[in-house]
Amino acid sequence: VFPLALIVGMDLQPPCFSLAVSQVEFHLADQRLREDCERVVEGRQFDFIVDDASHQPADVLVCLLWMWPYLKSGGIYVIEDLEPHICDRFAALLPQATVIPNTGPFGGLEPLIVLRKPKFTRCQKFPSGEQCALEAGHSGGCKWYSGD
C-alpha cells in the first residue's frame, strides 16, 4: 500500500527473523528511556507511530511523551492492547483520543487508542523561544507553545 514507506522499529529484544529489507530499520531500545527514543528517531518526523510494546500504562504514557514531538503535524499515534478500563482513563486524560473497539487474534477485546496531532501553521517566533501557532483551518486565536 505504501511502497516508499520507511518502517522504523524498536524493541528490547532482537527480531527473531531476518529484516533484510532496505525500507525497514530495527533498533534495540527501551521505549521508557528518552535517550533511546531520541537515538532511534534521529531527529526525523513520522506520519504514523504505533506503540505495541509493553502494554503497561506508565510505559505507554512515557513513550507518548518522548515520541509525540517527532510526530508530524496531522500525524497519527496509535496505542495498542491496553485493558479496556485503562483505555477509558486515557480517553478522559486525553480528550482528543478516540478509543476504537478491536477484537484481538484470540477473540479478546483489545481496543486501540488513536490520537491525531493537530495541524498547525506557525505565526511568529519570539526571542524567548515561544511561538504562536494557528491551528490550520481555524480563524480565531493563537495557541502558544515553547520551542521549535
Side-chain angles (χ1 to χ4, degrees):
V1 176
F2 301 101
L4 301 177
L6 171 65
I7 299 169
V8 179
M10 66 177 174
D11 202 303
L12 292 171
Q13 303 295 323
C16 57
F17 53 89
S18 173
L19 290 172
V21 179
S22 64
Q23 291 169 265
V24 176
E25 287 180 19
F26 176 80
H27 302 267
L28 282 173
D30 186 336
Q31 78 178 98
R32 298 168 295 183
L33 302 177
R34 182 179 188 164
E35 56 274 8
D36 278 10
C37 291
E38 289 176 349
R39 177 178 49 81
V40 169
V41 300
E42 299 174 336
R44 297 176 283 194
Q45 294 282 295
F46 296 92
D47 296 299
F48 189 70
I49 296 175
V50 178
D51 180 337
D52 186 20
S54 76
H55 311 295
Q56 299 300 313
D59 296 348
V60 168
L61 278 174
V62 167
C63 188
L64 176 62
L65 289 172
W66 299 154
M67 298 301 288
W68 189 259
Y70 301 103
L71 185 65
K72 287 182 181 176
S73 176
I76 296 174
Y77 194 102
V78 177
I79 301 166
E80 293 188 350
D81 300 341
L82 287 177
E83 295 291 325
H85 70 281
I86 298 294
C87 290
D88 294 338
R89 291 180 180 173
F90 265 82
L93 178 65
L94 304 165
Q96 72 274 27
T98 301
V99 178
I100 300 173
N102 184 46
T103 302
F106 302 107
L109 187 59
E110 296 181 5
L112 303 174
I113 300 171
V114 180
L115 299 122
R116 180 180 290 272
K117 192 171 194 177
K119 291 186 177 186
F120 288 101
T121 304
R122 291 190 176 166
C123 307
Q124 185 174 1
K125 186 169 184 173
F126 298 92
S128 65
E130 288 190 326
Q131 298 179 16
C132 172
L134 185 61
E135 191 170 342
H138 182 67
S139 59
C142 280
K143 298 189 179 203
W144 293 91
Y145 63 98
S146 295
D148 292 322

